[in-house]
Amino acid sequence: MKKTDSCTIEHSKITVNGLPVFESQTETFHDFAKEAYKSLEINYSKFHKMDNLSKLAFLASEMILKDEDHSRTAVVLANRSSSLDTDFKYQESINSEENYFPSPAVFVYTLPNICVGEISIRHQMQTENAFFVLDELDEQFLNDYAEQILLSGKAEKVLCGWTELYQENYKAFVYLLTL
């Protein structure tokens, strides 16, 4: 297999193939994501409705996928915290006696694979996808899984990676694989 492109997002910085493409001095992920979205001139109105995990995965994938046809690209992502960041926000909306209103818009994001769905919708992907919860990034596992998808003929490329976000700790490392 061949790794064609990669993107890393951490510490308010985005690098593509090892080269910096965006950096911010903001302190929160929310502000960083908003600033990156504007600065990189991404045009996707659903971005502002996403939870932080989906924004992280979306920004990283957007740096690699851009405007090319990816209808035959699969997505295989993993992280450690699942959707725990959003889960806590949703639980807070349930626990609040004075402001009790469990938000359906937040509830939608209480599964980590929703970020894969957001990427797939944006790029009209019509192939396989998976989201794994692992203790740490296991590139070999992701690559082996991607290789099976590629060998099966179900996809021409696979976007693989790690999209970890919990509170203000975040890191995305995604890459594109082909045979």
Side-chain angles (χ1 to χ4, degrees):
M1 283 189 312
K2 179 179 158 189
K3 189 184 292 186
T4 60
D5 291 297
S6 67
C7 175
T8 302
I9 300 177
E10 64 182 331
H11 309 300
S12 299
K13 186 176 182 178
I14 300 174
T15 59
V16 176
N17 299 326
L19 301 172
V21 295
F22 177 77
E23 191 166 359
S24 172
Q25 300 303 314
T26 59
E27 303 228 350
T28 67
F29 176 79
H30 173 69
D31 291 342
F32 164 75
K34 189 172 159 184
E35 194 177 315
Y37 176 87
K38 283 182 183 179
S39 176
L40 297 167
E41 299 178 356
I42 299 169
N43 185 19
Y44 191 64
S45 59
K46 286 182 66 176
F47 179 82
H48 302 291
K49 296 178 183 179
M50 294 179 195
D51 72 327
N52 283 340
L53 177 62
S54 294
K55 286 179 181 178
L56 176 64
F58 182 88
L59 284 171
S61 67
E62 202 63 15
M63 298 297 96
I64 294 174
L65 302 177
K66 306 217 181 217
D67 295 324
E68 298 172 22
D69 177 15
H70 285 283
S71 59
R72 300 269 307 131
T73 300
V75 183
V76 178
L77 299 178
N79 77 7
R80 179 185 186 107
S81 299
S82 186
S83 59
L84 199 54
D85 190 68
T86 301
D87 296 348
F88 275 120
K89 289 176 182 147
Y90 185 71
Q91 187 62 46
E92 285 174 358
S93 74
I94 293 172
N95 291 347
S96 174
E97 289 182 24
E98 56 277 346
N99 294 318
Y100 179 81
F101 186 73
S103 169
V106 175
F107 177 73
V108 167
Y109 292 98
T110 58
L111 295 171
N113 63 326
I114 296 302
C115 66
V116 171
E118 295 286 7
I119 295 164
S120 297
I121 291 166
R122 163 71 162 172
H123 293 282
Q124 300 175 6
M125 296 171 164
Q126 300 172 13
T127 182
E128 302 294 307
N129 66 63
F131 194 101
F132 296 98
V133 178
L134 307 170
D135 286 334
E136 59 189 18
L137 172 61
D138 186 343
E139 260 188 88
Q140 188 62 52
F141 173 79
L142 296 177
N143 293 352
D144 289 346
Y145 194 89
E147 184 176 32
Q148 291 304 309
I149 293 172
L150 292 169
L151 291 172
S152 75
K154 293 179 180 177
E156 295 170 357
K157 301 174 189 172
V158 180
L159 178 71
C160 290
W162 182 257
T163 55
E164 170 64 19
L165 183 136
Y166 181 65
Q167 296 175 340
E168 289 305 319
N169 298 311
Y170 62 92
K171 179 178 182 173
F173 171 64
V174 298
Y175 52 95
L176 200 57
L177 292 176
T178 62
L179 280 179

